[in-house]
Amino acid sequence: MNRRRPYEDDGDFYGERNKKRRRVSENQEMEERLETLILRVGENSTSSLESNLEGLVSVLESDLGNFRAKILRILSECPIKMPEKCTIYSTMVGLMNAKNYNFGGEFVEYMVKTFKDSLKQCQWDAARYALRFLADLVNCHVISTASLLQLLDSMVDAANEDNVPQVRRDWYVFAVLSTLPWVGRELYEKKESALENLLVRIEVFLNKRTKKHHNALRVWSVDAPHPQEEYLDCLWAQIRKLRQDNWAEKHIPRPYLAFDSVLCEALQHNIPAIHPPPHQDSFEYPMPWVVYRMFDYTDCPPGPILPGAHSIERFLIEEHLHSIIETHRWERKDCAIHLLYLSYKDKIPLEYCIVEVIFAELFHMPTPRYLEICYGSILIELCKQQPSKMPQVLAQATEILFMRIDSMNTSCFDRFVNWFSYHLSNFQFRWSWDDWDSCLLLENEHPRPKFIQEVLLKCLRFSYHDRFKEMMPEAYAKLIPKPPAPQYKYTMEGAASLPGTATAHKLVVAIRKKCNASEVLTELNDLPNPREGSEADMTESTFNPLKIDVFVQTLLNLGSKSFSHTFAAISKFHAVFKALAETEEAQICILHNMFELWVDHQQMMVVIVDKLLKVQIVECSAVATWVFSKEMVGEFTKMYLWEILHLTIKKMNQHVTKLSREMNEAKDKLARTAESSSSESEEEGAGGTSNTQKRRKNADGTAEKPTEEQVERMEEKLEAAYVDQKRLFLIIFQRFIMILSEHLVKCDTDGREYNTDWYRWTVGRLQQVFMMHHEQVQKYSSTLESLLFTSDLDPHILDVFHQFTALRA
């Protein structure tokens, strides 16, 4: 066997190949080094930013010949992915343009293409940051002011189009207004009259737009002490204040001012005419929001003053903090550090700004951007990173929220409960409860005592019952939850007189002896049907409530030791559940018996319902009907019941999404298979295909192609799922309308005030269903309008629906 290495035989061939490999790896290393230099410019360094920029521009200038495409791509991506460093990158491009006019032109073309692509792909934040960067290039003498104004005018033209959704028009105006702080001063000095014309057009637009959606997005229903401003109105007020100040702001770093003598000599480029892509029905636009305010300057201690609500600095600070959360949310420690070391932290009461922005994210309507626990974990990390200030600011914020909770949106109330209970669980449940004892004089349905009760119930999920008896002051005894133990009626006092007691005791013995499903059904068969001879028995139903009562309560009580025991019990006797739960009425009976047993353990009920849905023992529509049943009237304002309803709706939504995805994938496979078959037949006609090529094609997955019949069956299943989803929403909204209408009519007849705590909770829950599931409900809005939310409905209920439809109008 020849052990000599190949290049010893083949001489230069392998040597040449290794040289090529080295060149490739050297080029790759150089590209990575350039990328690192560009990405990290402006970060902590011993030398000044100006000298760093000059050095980096020299490096890039010398490498343009080899890495032109790479440099163009990175420089166009950085200001979009790191918008807080926008002015640093615009300065770099300005300096390069001053040295190399052709590169400047290429970069402007590349950036314009990026902007247009972002608009076409509905990447709205990327498009807005690209527009801002193009505007900032005007400050660096790369782009002419006239061509930028032409672009901004075309954006406002798009905002004045007819027969397009208002959310589209709003975004175009928002994009223009949010760009002006960067370039307003330059436009004011060089094109004052054109800038004024632009602002007049925007003002006309804002005066004409409708804001029916406003109330649905508010955190509080009152404007005291802080107005609940719609985002465009607030930004417009901030821009007007900036105009009064002659477009001078204090928070945008502008490194290009140091290079003014170099940049002003550079030749400028014109942005080509850009026409925003026309609206398509598939386009989804950002929804409107309400600007969240918690603090003003009087809440902050002596020191840096909090900028006013209508100062542009408040907008810039908040946008920067939101951007940091977006970028670093996956690593809570990094996120906390970046928030606390904001570049202009000495000019503002930073901790107050951070807390306000995090709660703005948490309370964002219709849903927060990220999981609620994300914000809770960041706040905990902030307290760890800055223990001298952050816990006090957070305690002050909690106090403010509690004092204003009477007018808080129901969805935000739930999020506040979830956050506070999670936060307490990480700080040994310590809190100054005595400060809140005035709420104990209020009715239980009032938001303040209800908040404390719900917080304790959530804390119980993180701890144990005796802990709260020790921890809470005696005055709070009536709000402390009962011990979460099962209430098994067949061993309680008076159980001997119940008709199913003897069978229940037999069943306990049989299950403990490891009996199977058929033996359980045999045991239950001896039970009489209480419905026999009643009117209900006129229908040919096999539903026997006593069988369900005995089986469900006995089995769940035997599995009461833990969630795992309960799951194992349900899985083992799944066949019995399926035999007993043939009708929706029987499924509601199962849920009611589960409730009777676990009435004092809310988390167990949530978990069991989730399991019953997952293993298809009960259907989503049965859960919805049970939630609104007469038996649950006493639980109707409790959070856990709505947690159950929302997880039910989510289960249905996930089912529809899964079927839709599978069907689309099958259709794509079928289409690809058809294409490959036609190309194969062409190849065979031309000269045949080898067996090896056929095997290779089969390896790609086309061998497992779905048939047209399978795709048709998938379509039928998806259609049935859509019908179930629509039915679920119809049941929920119909029940809401019935109970609210009944309440309003009764109050009107009796001459009583309708706006009670119960009414506010119920209307809040109706809004919550609309908001949490807005994407799915939107699909059925026309059906809901024609069947349920008709013009003859009470205006109080109808208004909730109209606010919802206005979100995407």
Side-chain angles (χ1 to χ4, degrees), residues 42-61:
E43 292 180 13
N44 297 337
S45 172
T46 50
S47 52
S48 68
L49 175 61
E50 288 76 15
S51 62
N52 279 346
L53 283 169
E54 282 179 326
L56 182 53
V57 166
S58 299
V59 171
L60 295 179
E61 175 70 17

Side-chain angles (χ1 to χ4, degrees), residues 348-629:
I348 54 169
L350 180 61
E351 294 77 22
Y352 286 84
C353 292
I354 290 170
V355 168
E356 186 174 76
V357 162
I358 290 176
F359 277 112
E361 291 249 357
L362 180 63
F363 294 148
H364 181 78
M365 295 294 288
T367 51
R369 284 201 295 176
Y370 312 117
L371 289 175
E372 289 175 34
I373 200 167
C374 166
Y375 306 111
S377 63
I378 292 169
L379 285 168
I380 288 166
E381 196 59 45
L382 285 163
C383 291
K384 289 178 183 174
Q385 293 291 327
Q386 202 177 72
S388 59
K389 289 182 183 177
M390 192 54 77
Q392 289 90 323
V393 176
L394 202 50
Q396 191 178 339
T398 307
E399 191 70 30
I400 287 170
L401 288 170
F402 184 73
M403 289 302 134
R404 297 178 195 166
I405 204 169
D406 304 21
S407 59
M408 186 181 265
N409 179 303
T410 304
S411 292
C412 298
F413 176 92
D414 285 3
R415 294 177 210 168
F416 183 26
V417 167
N418 291 336
W419 165 73
F420 190 53
S421 54
Y422 170 69
H423 193 77
L424 288 177
S425 73
N426 280 272
F427 291 93
Q428 300 175 345
F429 300 99
R430 286 179 304 196
W431 185 252
S432 50
W433 296 106
D434 290 328
D435 295 347
W436 289 354
D437 59 9
S438 61
C439 75
L440 299 170
L441 303 171
L442 300 166
E443 292 290 325
N444 278 0
E445 290 296 302
H446 189 280
R448 289 189 196 183
K450 194 158 199 64
F451 172 77
I452 293 170
Q453 195 167 34
E454 293 289 1
V455 164
L456 293 176
L457 282 161
K458 284 282 180 178
C459 285
L460 199 53
R461 300 187 185 190
F462 298 114
S463 188
Y464 52 94
H465 189 263
D466 288 346
R467 176 82 180 267
F468 297 100
K469 282 165 60 178
E470 296 162 10
M471 176 186 82
M472 298 298 290
E474 283 183 27
Y476 284 83
K478 68 172 185 174
L479 298 181
I480 295 173
K482 291 179 182 176
Q487 304 293 316
Y488 184 51
K489 65 183 180 183
Y490 293 113
T491 54
M492 293 169 80
E493 194 177 336
S497 61
L498 296 175
T501 303
T503 308
H505 291 169
K506 284 184 198 170
L507 201 58
V508 169
V509 173
I511 291 171
R512 282 182 173 156
K513 285 183 177 176
K514 307 280 193 288
C515 69
N516 58 33
S518 60
E519 288 168 332
V520 168
L521 284 168
T522 306
E523 204 68 66
L524 295 172
N525 280 338
D526 298 336
L527 288 168
N529 190 342
R531 299 169 83 224
E532 281 176 10
S534 68
E535 289 178 21
D537 195 47
M538 299 298 283
T539 58
E540 290 183 13
S541 169
T542 55
F543 165 48
N544 183 337
L546 188 55
K547 278 187 183 181
I548 291 172
D549 189 314
V550 170
F551 171 69
V552 171
Q553 294 224 14
T554 302
L555 185 72
L556 294 183
N557 184 57
L558 286 170
S560 63
K561 192 174 181 183
S562 69
F563 295 140
S564 302
H565 285 76
T566 300
F567 291 166
I570 292 171
S571 298
K572 183 174 181 183
F573 295 103
H574 184 265
V576 182
F577 276 108
K578 290 298 277 184
L580 295 175
E582 288 182 341
T583 64
E584 189 171 290
E585 203 179 357
Q587 292 168 21
I588 293 167
C589 188
I590 288 173
L591 293 166
H592 182 60
N593 278 284
M594 178 271 303
F595 166 71
E596 268 193 1
L597 181 78
W598 283 119
V599 65
D600 295 329
H601 196 337
Q602 295 182 357
Q603 188 182 12
M604 183 62 91
M605 285 192 273
V606 173
V607 168
I608 290 174
V609 173
D610 185 53
K611 182 68 175 176
L612 294 176
L613 285 166
K614 201 173 281 179
V615 297
Q616 298 178 348
I617 289 167
V618 299
E619 292 172 12
C620 295
S621 56
V623 177
T625 307
W626 168 70
V627 165
F628 288 93
S629 65

